[in-house]
Amino acid sequence: MSEIEHSEEHIKKHVRVYISVFVALMALTVVTVAASYLQLNTFGTIALALFIASIKASLVICYFMHLISEKKLVLIVLLFTTIFFLGLIFLSLLAYFDPVVYKNVA
Amino acid sequence: MEIPYTVKPRPDTGLINSKIGIWLFLASEVMLFGALFSSYIILRIGSESWPEGSSYLSVPIGTFNTLVLISSSITMVMAWASLKLKNFKKFQIYMGLTILLGLVFLGVKSFEYYGKFSHHHYPKESVFFAIYFTMTGLHALHVICGMVVNAYFWGPGSKMWQTNPEQFTNRVETSGLFWHFVDLVWIFLFPVLYLL
């Protein structure tokens, strides 16, 4: 990163952002717990909990891990990671819903 | 041998080597935990019944630990920012706090484990406890590793601040990236295991 980017003033501005992110993360944790007491159906409960967790995760990645101002190469690495991660989750799910495999297992 | 590109970015990647190194490592960590989350989903939808996490685990304790880990993330990033502002004293305070909060997290986690064991809840008891102990155990191992690295930079490793402050700052940023990742995993583990 360039010198100007990391000048003292710039870092101090960052620190203010970190504190706001911290407050948001704390608040969202309380919201997650509160939301779990709502009488939603199973799908609604799971979707809401994962939605809030994703917001929290994005805040940590973007601001604490500086992804928002990171070089392109890191973003490319993470793009591939995301694709493989989704594959890992959904391909195994696909196998579960495959009627042929399921019948054989059962 | 001197490690190349620890301060100056490598021209072709535009990054210092440690930065690209840690991100590649974290990518592999995503797959490691991803495999466990994937197993969790498959096991859960394949089970006849699944206990509500809160019927076995204490939500207040889990919430407290979540808040502890989030706090340790901000102290970690503040430790790095203090070095950027050339304030070594503040770095020591924030880094010390980060390590301390890690210890609190592990202390609370051991207390939880102890409670489970004394009620004879072992991994062999059910699929729920098997996945609970595997995931939180692996996560706790990551917390320990992060703390060891942070403790080194807080203690003997901080001598580098005198000789090569820029490289030291980058080292702290790298260990910070790992620490934030550990926080990130917990952000998903907490609702998945305790609340759903």
Side-chain angles (χ1 to χ4, degrees):
Chain A
M1 293 196 188
S2 69
E3 298 247 336
I4 314 140
E5 231 181 316
H6 272 166
S7 67
E8 206 160 297
E9 211 29 62
H10 197 81
I11 294 292
K12 282 185 180 155
K13 216 192 274 169
H14 274 240
V15 168
R16 282 194 288 275
V17 175
Y18 296 151
I19 293 167
S20 327
V21 169
F22 170 66
V23 174
L25 287 172
M26 288 296 209
L28 283 170
T29 304
V30 177
V31 172
T32 318
V33 177
S36 73
Y37 289 104
L38 290 176
Q39 299 292 324
L40 297 172
N41 57 18
T42 315
F43 176 78
T45 315
I46 294 175
L48 186 61
L50 289 183
F51 176 68
I52 300 170
S54 305
I55 298 176
K56 287 168 74 182
S58 323
L59 284 173
V60 171
I61 298 178
C62 290
Y63 296 101
F64 288 173
M65 298 172 93
H66 309 131
L67 204 67
I68 212 144
S69 55
E70 201 44 273
K71 292 282 183 299
K72 217 171 95 193
L73 188 60
V74 173
L75 299 178
I76 295 170
V77 168
L78 288 181
L79 175 70
F80 277 99
T81 312
T82 313
I83 294 168
F84 283 117
F85 176 77
L86 291 177
L88 193 65
I89 300 287
F90 288 104
L91 282 181
S92 40
L93 265 183
L94 205 64
Y96 183 82
F97 287 113
D98 183 340
V100 180
V101 176
Y102 190 61
K103 203 166 68 191
N104 286 344
V105 170
Chain B
M1 203 185 91
E2 189 127 331
I3 308 163
Y5 303 110
T6 50
V7 174
K8 255 204 178 108
R10 206 178 122 134
D12 53 355
T13 60
L15 292 159
I16 52 168
N17 280 357
S18 54
K19 180 75 80 65
I20 189 75
I22 190 75
W23 274 112
L24 285 172
F25 174 65
L26 292 183
S28 78
E29 290 272 84
V30 168
M31 298 312 281
L32 172 67
F33 280 101
L36 286 174
F37 275 107
S38 174
S39 315
Y40 168 89
I41 297 169
I42 291 290
L43 289 170
R44 184 166 178 167
I45 57 176
S47 312
E48 298 274 308
S49 65
W50 193 266
E52 217 171 285
S54 56
S55 58
Y56 285 113
L57 308 172
S58 159
V59 175
I61 292 180
T63 310
F64 174 76
N65 245 359
T66 308
L67 299 177
V68 167
L69 218 52
I70 291 173
S71 308
S72 81
S73 246
I74 178 115
T75 55
M76 183 78 223
V77 81
M78 292 298 280
W80 169 79
S82 306
L83 286 180
K84 278 281 176 194
L85 295 168
K86 315 238 176 316
N87 192 334
F88 187 70
K89 269 255 141 345
K90 264 197 168 163
F91 157 76
Q92 282 183 311
I93 294 170
Y94 281 124
M95 194 57 136
L97 276 173
T98 309
I99 300 163
L100 216 65
L101 287 165
L103 270 177
V104 172
F105 179 87
L106 285 178
V108 172
K109 201 83 220 130
S110 341
F111 173 75
E112 276 188 288
Y113 271 23
Y114 176 75
K116 297 289 153 293
F117 292 149
S118 59
H119 284 93
H120 302 287
H121 293 315
Y122 296 108
K124 65 176 180 186
E125 186 191 298
S126 65
V127 180
F128 174 77
F129 276 110
I131 201 104
Y132 165 77
F133 280 113
T134 306
M135 293 181 101
T136 56
L138 186 69
H139 178 263
L141 216 58
H142 279 76
V143 174
I144 295 170
C145 293
M147 278 170 62
V148 169
V149 175
N150 284 345
Y152 173 73
F153 291 145
W154 183 74
S158 68
K159 276 193 210 116
M160 191 187 241
W161 177 251
Q162 313 297 335
T163 52
N164 197 342
E166 279 179 75
Q167 190 183 350
F168 182 66
T169 309
N170 289 340
R171 281 185 165 189
V172 170
E173 186 184 11
T174 308
S175 74
L177 283 170
F178 178 77
W179 191 255
H180 299 313
F181 174 77
V182 171
D183 183 20
L184 208 76
V185 171
W186 185 258
I187 285 176
F188 284 100
L189 272 183
F190 170 61
V192 164
L193 294 174
Y194 287 74
L195 303 177
L196 294 180

